[in-house]
Amino acid sequence: MFSKKNYKLLPASIVMGLLVSSFVVLQEVHADITSLGRQSATQVGGFGRNAVGGSQADATHIYTVNSRQTLLKALGQSTNDVPKIIYLSGTIDMTKDSQGRTLTEDDYAQGTGYHLESYLTAYNPSTWGKKKVSGQQEINRLAAQRKQAEQIEVKVPANTTIIGLPGASFVGGNLILQKKQHYCAEYYF
């Protein structure tokens, strides 16, 4: 039996054990970690045969972040391919809004017409059968899912390196790598 408290609209993936703290002077970051940001994938391994990530970032494009909002600000638009290095500190929770409130299924469903109980009733296998789900309730669920994706999915531009500092974590979200030619984003954890 499904219950609202343990059903998720769209399971958020925990995509890599990363993260960082509010904007801090870079000199406070451990030297071994800061040198890692200057390396390309060919030097340290990883995916993307010729990926350079943010290894060419200038001093104005090196950030330390500790929240969803500061991460999004550091990344800029998904087409922002200026080389950048982002250090993650603390816990970055992608489900928190700008006021620090954790968003719930009800927040994502608001204004979409999606209601879990109605959805489960409409598509109960004992009455719906095994055919593909379709109809208004599915349309409503997809609208709520899109609202959730806008909150939890982060498009990481090309020429970006993200490094999790010791103890950092990234929860409730997905990092989606953008690509421009062979200059991919890189992650180290």
Side-chain angles (χ1 to χ4, degrees):
M1 179 76 184
F2 289 99
S3 72
K4 189 170 184 174
K5 79 175 197 183
N6 54 8
Y7 179 85
K8 294 181 179 175
L9 179 64
L10 171 70
S13 298
I14 298 175
V15 178
M16 311 216 180
L18 308 169
L19 291 191
V20 191
S21 172
S22 207
F23 286 92
V24 176
V25 180
L26 187 58
Q27 290 77 10
E28 294 176 21
V29 178
H30 188 272
D32 291 340
I33 291 178
T34 59
S35 66
L36 183 60
R38 293 287 179 199
Q39 296 178 17
S40 67
T42 56
Q43 293 171 291
V44 296
F47 65 92
R49 188 166 53 110
N50 295 315
V52 295
S55 63
Q56 302 301 310
D58 62 32
T60 62
H61 293 98
I62 298 174
Y63 310 93
T64 302
V65 301
N66 69 350
S67 68
R68 176 183 181 274
Q69 289 70 31
T70 56
L71 173 61
L72 295 177
K73 185 176 180 180
L75 289 169
Q77 298 296 318
S78 63
T79 57
N80 173 15
D81 61 1
V82 172
K84 65 191 83 45
I85 300 170
I86 301 172
Y87 295 96
L88 306 173
S89 174
T91 298
I92 296 181
D93 186 343
M94 297 304 292
T95 66
K96 293 194 182 242
D97 66 13
S98 58
Q99 287 76 44
R101 186 176 68 87
T102 300
L103 299 175
T104 67
E105 174 189 304
D106 292 334
D107 294 307
Y108 301 124
Q110 189 172 22
T112 66
Y114 172 76
H115 301 283
L116 176 61
E117 292 81 12
S118 299
Y119 186 88
L120 294 176
T121 300
Y123 303 115
N124 185 322
S126 65
T127 55
W128 184 260
K130 294 184 178 183
K131 60 186 174 187
K132 183 177 178 177
V133 175
S134 63
Q136 190 60 50
Q137 285 298 318
E138 177 62 2
I139 291 168
N140 296 347
R141 186 195 66 79
L142 290 170
Q145 180 182 3
R146 282 189 297 275
K147 282 179 70 175
Q148 183 182 32
E150 289 173 13
Q151 175 73 26
I152 67 169
E153 292 183 354
V154 178
K155 292 182 178 174
V156 179
N159 300 321
T160 300
T161 297
I162 296 177
I163 298 175
L165 296 175
S169 61
F170 181 87
V171 297
N174 295 316
L175 299 174
I176 301 169
L177 302 180
Q178 303 300 297
K179 179 182 167 187
K180 182 177 181 182
Q181 297 168 352
H182 63 272
Y183 301 102
C184 298
E186 300 177 308
Y187 298 95
Y188 300 98
F189 56 98

